[in-house]
Amino acid sequence: MTAHGRGCRVLALLLTLAACAERPSDPRSAIAVTIPVARAVRLDVAKAVTAGRHFEACAGLKQRILAKGAEPDWQALLLVAARDPACLEAGQGEQLASFFRGRPGWLDAVGEWDAAHDAAVDLATLSAPSRLRVLLRNGDQRDVVTAAEAVLRADADDPFACAVVVEDAIERGELRAAVESCPGASSPALLHARAGALDEAGRFDEAVSAYDAAGYTLHAAAILYQEHRSRDAEALARMAEPVPPAAIHRGWLAILRGRAPDLAGLDGSPEATMIRALAGVPSAREALPSLGTLQARVLHARLVGDAAALESDLAGRPHSEVLLRAALGIRLDGGLDTAATLTRIRGLDPDHVALAATFGRREAPWQAIVPWTWVALRARLPGLESQGQDEVGERWRAALQLDGSAREAELDALQMDHPELRGLARLRAGGLRLDGPGASR
């Protein structure tokens, strides 16, 4: 053999050794010995993965790995660990991803793992479900919804993609579509989203039933005591558990009924701080501005009697009926001049104000934070009415003159142009008529 030939063989051997040295070793055996042996239970792992029951899926996969260690189970384990960090130690997941990166069958699991750890991912290499998961971490809303629709074209009942589509419909004010989408699909997230859409639509009894059926009894309780004064006993029965979320709702129930809330069991959440502030705890009242939420700012303005503190929020939300009620109520209760606030309200389109109704979160109910209703305010100020006109109000009134599908099409277009009109969304979904400042015309 020539010196040149021997040199080539040596070079090839060195390159092979270098490649072997750089290549990580298969970590599966080392990971498997760290998996504790658990009592055997029968789990439908595939269904748990699809439904997003990560704890159940992780436990079932580890059980199967201990039994036979098939490669698809390891792929699924890394996939679940990408979605739920509690499934695997970060170092173990990284070892799996590093060893199997680029190998057939591992593209989804490694891609989702990389995305979960802020690494770049080639979306074109992923299946539609994994592409959706990755886009949810760093894609814009339109791309996310497009990816969800691609998943649903292959599987119309994929629960994760359905939940994405339903949440998007809620955000756009398409509450009826949110309730009616994916009738054959079921998962905790999807059931929660559907029930939330029914709640925002003002279909309260249906929402209570939907939350109860999905096991979200506290959500059902919140609707009962906030919307049905006569059903407090039913609500309290659902709030008996000694946990902070239940204590928060028991606190709001007491406040709405004019009673001092029980502060025992409250945690350090913003909602608990607001309850303490309403109960007269000075430190809680002082902490309200630092909570950074609109509800906390409005409550602070109410408790210190400073309606002027709402001006910056009103400037950004001039038709917010809850802010208008707060500004007027704070001035009335404090014996302050209401002339400027009345002038502001009179210049607004009353239908626009009603259509912009804010329903907020059940965990921090506006009716407890801003207790003045339009009915009560009009009783104290007989001249309280609006006479302005704007594009939203004019389009609404014009649509009401139409019949059937023509009216529906006009209201659909108005909602599309103004997704912030949550009151309009409620009406279009079959909800209740809205209150407002009243009109002079």
Side-chain angles (χ1 to χ4, degrees):
M1 181 180 292
T2 65
H4 175 72
R6 285 195 299 274
C8 288
R9 286 185 62 188
V10 170
L11 178 60
L13 179 60
L14 289 172
L15 290 173
T16 301
L17 289 171
C20 290
E22 293 172 5
R23 185 183 186 82
S25 59
D26 188 338
R28 287 177 290 182
S29 297
I31 294 172
V33 299
T34 69
I35 298 174
V37 177
R39 182 174 61 86
V41 292
R42 182 169 294 182
L43 297 172
D44 189 331
V45 172
K47 189 173 289 186
V49 172
T50 302
R53 300 194 300 271
H54 298 132
F55 178 83
E56 181 181 326
C58 184
L61 286 165
K62 287 180 175 179
Q63 225 180 72
R64 281 168 33 167
I65 284 168
L66 285 180
K68 58 181 180 178
E71 184 160 318
D73 292 332
W74 285 99
Q75 294 165 2
L77 184 67
L78 183 61
L79 193 76
V80 172
R83 299 172 183 178
D84 180 6
C87 181
L88 272 181
E89 292 180 12
Q92 294 176 335
E94 188 55 43
Q95 288 169 352
L96 279 173
S98 297
F99 185 74
F100 288 104
R101 185 170 281 109
R103 297 197 189 190
W106 285 85
L107 295 177
D108 283 349
V110 173
E112 288 199 36
W113 177 268
D114 286 344
H117 294 81
D118 301 319
V121 178
D122 182 359
L123 293 174
T125 66
L126 304 179
S127 67
S130 285
R131 190 179 309 125
L132 170 60
R133 299 273 185 165
V134 170
L135 282 169
L136 269 170
R137 295 184 183 276
N138 53 25
D140 64 35
Q141 182 69 3
R142 189 61 253 164
D143 288 342
V144 168
V145 174
T146 299
E149 291 168 346
V151 174
L152 294 176
R153 282 195 292 273
D155 179 1
D157 291 330
D158 181 281
F160 189 80
C162 283
V164 170
V165 169
V166 168
E167 290 286 3
D168 177 68
I170 293 172
E171 191 173 320
R172 291 184 291 106
E174 299 297 333
L175 301 179
R176 186 178 298 160
V179 171
E180 295 173 356
S181 294
C182 301
S186 177
S187 74
L190 181 56
L191 293 171
H192 185 277
R194 279 204 197 107
L198 286 165
D199 185 11
E200 190 170 349
R203 294 159 61 175
F204 301 128
D205 290 342
E206 292 175 79
V208 168
S209 297
Y211 275 132
D212 276 341
Y216 294 102
T217 53
L218 269 183
H219 293 70
I223 297 173
L224 287 171
Y225 77 80
Q226 290 174 28
E227 302 296 339
H228 298 290
R229 192 181 185 95
S230 63
R231 300 179 71 178
D232 285 358
E234 294 175 63
L236 285 168
R238 291 167 169 83
M239 299 189 292
E241 198 173 353
V243 294
I248 285 169
H249 282 295
R250 289 193 297 269
W252 288 125
L253 171 55
I255 289 167
L256 287 170
R257 301 299 178 260
R259 302 192 299 268
D262 182 358
L263 304 185
L266 294 178
D267 58 10
S269 65
E271 295 79 15
T273 301
M274 286 190 280
I275 291 171
R276 290 189 183 95
L278 281 165
V281 178
S283 60
R285 184 182 65 191
E286 293 164 10
L288 290 173
S290 67
L291 297 182
T293 67
L294 179 61
Q295 287 96 332
R297 290 196 298 276
V298 173
L299 181 57
H300 186 259
R302 170 189 163 188
L303 293 179
V304 301
D306 182 13
L310 303 179
E311 284 303 314
S312 60
D313 284 310
L314 268 168
R317 304 173 177 85
H319 293 88
S320 170
E321 62 89 26
V322 71
L323 287 174
L324 292 168
R325 284 190 287 117
L328 195 53
I330 291 169
R331 285 184 167 87
L332 276 172
D333 283 3
L336 305 174
D337 184 26
T338 60
T341 304
L342 287 171
T343 298
R344 183 203 297 267
I345 293 173
R346 287 177 182 133
L348 298 173
D349 189 307
D351 289 318
H352 190 165
V353 173
L355 294 172
T358 301
F359 308 116
R361 298 167 50 250
R362 294 290 180 186
E363 294 79 10
W366 276 120
Q367 57 188 291
I369 297 166
V370 180
W372 309 278
T373 65
W374 286 115
V375 171
L377 290 170
R378 285 195 296 268
R380 296 171 71 178
L381 293 165
L384 176 58
E385 56 188 21
S386 298
Q387 50 198 6
Q389 296 185 42
D390 63 22
E391 176 248 357
V392 167
E394 288 171 357
R395 288 178 65 180
W396 162 255
R397 290 185 288 274
L400 295 186
Q401 304 306 309
L402 304 173
D403 294 319
S405 59
R407 173 190 287 194
E408 231 175 273
E410 287 300 313
L411 295 180
D412 289 349
L414 179 58
Q415 188 81 70
M416 185 178 296
D417 293 341
H418 295 278
E420 76 280 2
L421 298 176
R422 308 312 293 184
L424 174 60
R426 172 171 287 191
L427 290 167
R428 291 173 60 241
L432 308 174
R433 180 66 182 155
L434 306 166
D435 192 17
S440 60
R441 55 178 183 273

